[in-house]
């Protein structure tokens, strides 16, 4: 009676089997300590494989496995993100004409800002002429120029430098716009050709 109770318990739990390091096949009603460094199979009562148990890993092996798992997850996320970005690009630009039109529109906006800034530079050039004519009287001894005139010269210089910096930044923005559209175009060409899904 006791023996049949043990057998039914073992059947309910499953049967573990493995081949140890000496090539001996071992069977047990629980995971086998001699096979902790190798794969074990848990069998159903019918003898079919219920699951496989991998070897018990050392702390170093667990750490290495975690690094591999993390890298695989990052790779999957990167591929998924790339596909999502490709779909978004194709939705936005169905062909090169649409992409070229948006590039032209973006560059036109930057050019309009640069044109306004250049008008401001022309205004500053006119201000410089007025200042120069007023400073002409003090050219032999600029230190005798009145405080208000010195302040206007300082303000002019600050405005000129700020405007030059602004125009330089807009030129950089124009380059950034072109670089972005170039990068998109290199990704879109194979998508339009149907090379990438």
């Amino acid at each position: 009676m006791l023996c049949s109770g043990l057998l039914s318990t073992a059947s309910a739990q499953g049967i573990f089997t493995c081949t140890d390091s000496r090539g001996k096949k071992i069977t047990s009603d629980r995971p086998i300590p001699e096979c902790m460094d190798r794969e074990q199979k848990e069998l159903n009562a019918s003898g079919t494989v219920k699951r496989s148990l991998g070897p018990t890993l050392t702390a170093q092996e667990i750490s290495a496995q975690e690094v591999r798992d993390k890298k695989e997850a990052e790779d999957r996320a990167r591929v998924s993100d790339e596909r999502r970005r490709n779909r978004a690009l194709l939705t936005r630009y169905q062909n090169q004409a649409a992409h070229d039109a948006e590039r032209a529109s973006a560059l036109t906006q930057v050019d309009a800002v640069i044109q306004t800034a250049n008008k401001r530079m022309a205004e500053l050039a006119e201000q410089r002429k007025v200042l120069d004519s007023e400073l002409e009287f003090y050219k032999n001894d600029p230190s005798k120029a009145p405080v208000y005139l010195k302040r206007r010269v300082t303000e002019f210089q600050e405005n000129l430098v700020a405007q030059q910096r602004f125009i330089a930044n807009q030129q950089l923005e124009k380059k950034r716009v072109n670089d972005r559209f170039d990068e998109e175009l290199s990704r879109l060409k194979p998508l339009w050709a149907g090379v990438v899904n």
Side-chain angles (χ1 to χ4, degrees):
M1 187 75 173
L2 183 60
C3 188
S4 88
L6 284 172
L7 282 173
S8 65
T9 303
S11 297
Q13 288 180 341
I15 300 166
F16 293 86
T17 181
C18 72
T19 304
D20 71 8
S21 58
R22 294 179 302 243
K24 180 180 171 190
K25 188 165 183 169
I26 305 173
T27 304
S28 175
D29 63 346
R30 59 184 53 90
I32 304 162
E34 294 91 332
C35 292
M36 289 299 178
D37 63 340
R38 61 196 62 236
E39 183 181 56
Q40 300 183 48
K41 295 189 185 324
E42 184 180 2
L43 308 176
N44 292 314
S46 64
T48 59
V49 176
K50 181 177 177 182
R51 65 179 173 143
S52 292
L53 302 171
T56 303
L57 303 175
T58 65
Q60 187 176 2
E61 290 169 332
I62 290 170
S63 177
Q65 183 63 47
E66 286 172 352
V67 168
R68 282 193 299 273
D69 291 347
K70 182 179 178 185
K71 184 181 182 310
E72 286 171 8
E74 287 170 353
D75 289 346
R76 283 193 302 274
R78 182 182 46 73
V79 168
S80 174
D81 184 55
E82 187 75 15
R83 284 185 181 144
R84 182 187 56 74
R85 288 176 64 208
N86 286 345
R87 282 194 300 272
L89 272 176
L90 276 175
T91 301
R92 187 168 183 179
Y93 308 113
Q94 274 112 38
N95 52 46
Q96 187 160 353
H99 191 259
D100 290 346
E102 185 146 336
R103 181 198 295 254
S105 173
L107 291 174
T108 298
Q109 290 175 30
V110 179
D111 283 339
V113 173
I114 291 172
Q115 189 175 3
T116 302
N118 284 333
K119 284 181 186 172
R120 176 66 181 138
M121 286 295 285
E123 291 169 6
L124 287 171
E126 289 302 314
Q127 284 180 20
R128 179 78 231 193
K129 287 178 188 174
V130 171
L131 284 172
D132 285 346
S133 69
E134 290 184 37
L135 288 168
E136 183 71 24
F137 185 72
Y138 305 100
K139 70 177 179 182
N140 291 333
D141 190 359
S143 65
K144 290 188 177 177
V147 173
Y148 82 90
L149 188 55
K150 289 179 182 177
R151 187 169 55 247
R152 282 175 55 203
V153 169
T154 302
E155 286 172 2
F156 168 82
Q157 289 295 342
E158 289 169 354
N159 287 336
L160 183 65
V161 168
Q163 200 62 21
Q164 288 169 336
R165 188 181 302 121
F166 179 75
I167 291 172
N169 285 338
Q170 290 307 304
Q171 294 292 354
L172 284 174
E173 177 60 18
K174 194 170 179 176
K175 183 181 182 313
R176 279 193 291 270
V177 168
N178 270 317
D179 289 347
R180 175 172 68 84
F181 277 93
D182 287 346
E183 189 268 334
E184 285 178 353
L185 188 59
S186 69
R187 288 177 52 214
L188 280 162
K189 280 181 176 177
L191 296 174
W192 288 325
V195 175
V196 181
N197 298 3

